[in-house]
């Protein structure tokens, strides 16, 4: 619940552009684009695959387990699915579907 208190957040960006080459609206568009990609992947990994609840936390195992999750998300996105959870349920009924999407069958 909000307190009604005004807060100001200062964000710093690093870019290779010379000073004045990008306007505030250009920078805001780039930031939104970054967060769109970030949210699209991480939201699915957390909500659909429950990645944050995983007990795997040592050494390289979290990164290793993220690989198959990213592969599954990528295959379904490439196949035109926007709802990854529904695509996973559909794939569970037909295990050939991801192979078909990759052109392997």
């Amino acid at each position: 619940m909000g307190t009604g208190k005004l807060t100001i957040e200062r964000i710093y960006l690093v870019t290779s552009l010379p000073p004045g080459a990008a306007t505030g609206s250009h920078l805001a568009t780039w930031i939104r684009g970054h967060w769109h990609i970030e949210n699209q992947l991480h939201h699915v990994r957390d909500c659909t695959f429950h990645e944050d609840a995983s007990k795997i936390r040592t050494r390289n195992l979290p990164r290793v387990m993220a690989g198959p999750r990213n592969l599954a998300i990528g295959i379904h996105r490439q196949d035109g699915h926007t709802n990854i959870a529904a695509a996973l349920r559909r794939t569970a009924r037909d295990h050939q579907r991801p192979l078909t999407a990759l052109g392997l069958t």
Side-chain angles (χ1 to χ4, degrees), residues 2-46:
T3 62
K5 183 179 177 184
L6 176 65
T7 60
I8 297 174
E9 182 178 358
R10 184 170 288 146
I11 300 172
Y12 295 95
L13 299 173
V14 177
T15 178
S16 61
L17 295 172
T23 65
S25 63
H26 284 118
L27 294 174
T29 301
W30 291 335
I31 292 168
R32 281 192 299 277
H34 166 78
W35 283 110
H36 174 74
I37 293 167
E38 188 81 6
N39 289 337
Q40 191 174 22
L41 177 61
H42 291 290
H43 177 77
V44 170
R45 282 174 44 184
D46 185 32

Side-chain angles (χ1 to χ4, degrees), residues 28-102:
T29 301
W30 291 335
I31 292 168
R32 281 192 299 277
H34 166 78
W35 283 110
H36 174 74
I37 293 167
E38 188 81 6
N39 289 337
Q40 191 174 22
L41 177 61
H42 291 290
H43 177 77
V44 170
R45 282 174 44 184
D46 185 32
C47 293
T48 302
F49 291 103
H50 306 288
E51 191 172 65
D52 288 349
S54 174
K55 302 294 184 204
I56 300 170
R57 303 209 186 282
T58 57
R59 304 187 72 183
N60 292 327
L61 289 176
R63 184 173 292 166
V64 169
M65 292 305 297
R69 293 180 188 121
N70 288 341
L71 177 63
I73 293 167
I75 290 170
H76 291 303
R77 293 247 188 258
Q78 179 181 322
D79 203 25
H81 296 282
T82 56
N83 185 331
I84 301 302
L88 289 169
R89 288 189 297 271
R90 188 173 178 202
T91 300
R93 294 188 298 270
D94 180 7
H95 68 280
Q96 292 292 325
R97 194 175 307 277
L99 298 174
T100 303
L102 291 172

